[in-house]
Amino acid sequence: IDLSQPAAWHYLVEGFHAPEAWGVWSSGKYAKLILPVDLAGAAEVELNISMVVKVFPGVVAHAPVLQITMDGKVIGFVLFRTSAKNEQQINFTGRIKKPVCQFEFNISHTGSPAFLSQSGDHRELGFGLCALSVAVSSVMEDMQDESSTQIAGKFWGLSENEAVDEVPKRAHEGKMA
């Protein structure tokens, strides 16, 4: 999906600024995106999603966290650090049984370039969606199972020295730095 084109507005239903040449900024801490999906007669389809996300550079020092949900289920959390690359590619798979898939994004920190004296831009910026691609495949009837629709929360942006099981505890306690 080309997020720089005006047609992207059909997908960006809430909480986004106008698309720019590189992608689109969220206009606050919450944003919602919908994707129409051609079920092509299948009872269930599998979506392979790839996104490139970033945060407003003025808030990276606060170690922001981006939560992503798909149709009400938490997909995972993207952790941003000053010690890591701001643009992060995330990939995940999920199954749906309806012709529209809804993604919700919640970012812990936002900022304004004007507030940080970086420019005259007074917009509130949260996360940037730089790229989005979706591959759809049918799920065979014998492979359909309610347990397959349960998605375990993932963490992106971890360094090699961070234990995956420690991050949820620290995130819950508000100790993301």
Side-chain angles (χ1 to χ4, degrees), residues 9-166:
W9 277 110
H10 296 293
Y11 308 109
L12 310 171
V13 295
E14 186 177 343
F16 287 99
H17 288 292
E20 300 179 28
W22 59 267
V24 63
W25 284 113
S26 70
S27 59
K29 291 187 175 186
Y30 173 81
K32 182 167 48 174
L33 178 146
I34 59 167
L35 290 175
V37 178
D38 182 6
L39 296 177
E44 183 176 37
V45 294
E46 184 171 87
L47 302 179
N48 290 304
I49 310 287
S50 178
M51 296 180 184
V52 176
V53 293
K54 66 180 181 178
V55 293
F56 173 56
V59 301
V60 172
H62 299 289
V65 177
L66 175 64
Q67 177 188 32
I68 303 172
T69 64
M70 179 176 141
D71 285 341
K73 296 179 181 111
V74 174
I75 295 294
F77 302 87
V78 186
L79 310 176
F80 296 91
R81 305 284 198 286
T82 55
S83 60
K85 187 177 171 189
N86 189 6
E87 283 191 13
Q88 296 190 42
Q89 180 165 345
I90 60 172
N91 301 294
F92 57 91
T93 302
R95 292 185 177 180
I96 62 168
K97 298 179 180 184
K98 54 188 180 181
V100 174
C101 185
Q102 177 175 295
F103 294 92
E104 294 177 279
F105 303 88
N106 289 284
I107 186 75
S108 61
H109 295 80
T110 62
S112 167
F115 181 74
L116 296 171
S117 301
Q118 294 178 344
S119 76
D121 185 351
H122 290 276
R123 295 178 300 164
E124 180 181 11
L125 305 177
F127 75 97
L129 184 55
C130 308
L132 172 64
S133 64
V134 181
V136 181
S137 57
S138 297
V139 176
M140 302 300 285
E141 264 186 57
D142 58 339
M143 300 296 278
Q144 293 175 10
D145 178 0
E146 280 303 310
S147 64
S148 69
T149 60
Q150 299 300 316
I151 301 170
K154 293 184 177 185
F155 288 88
W156 293 278
L158 294 172
S159 65
E160 291 82 36
N161 60 358
E162 289 180 287
V164 173
D165 58 342
E166 280 296 305

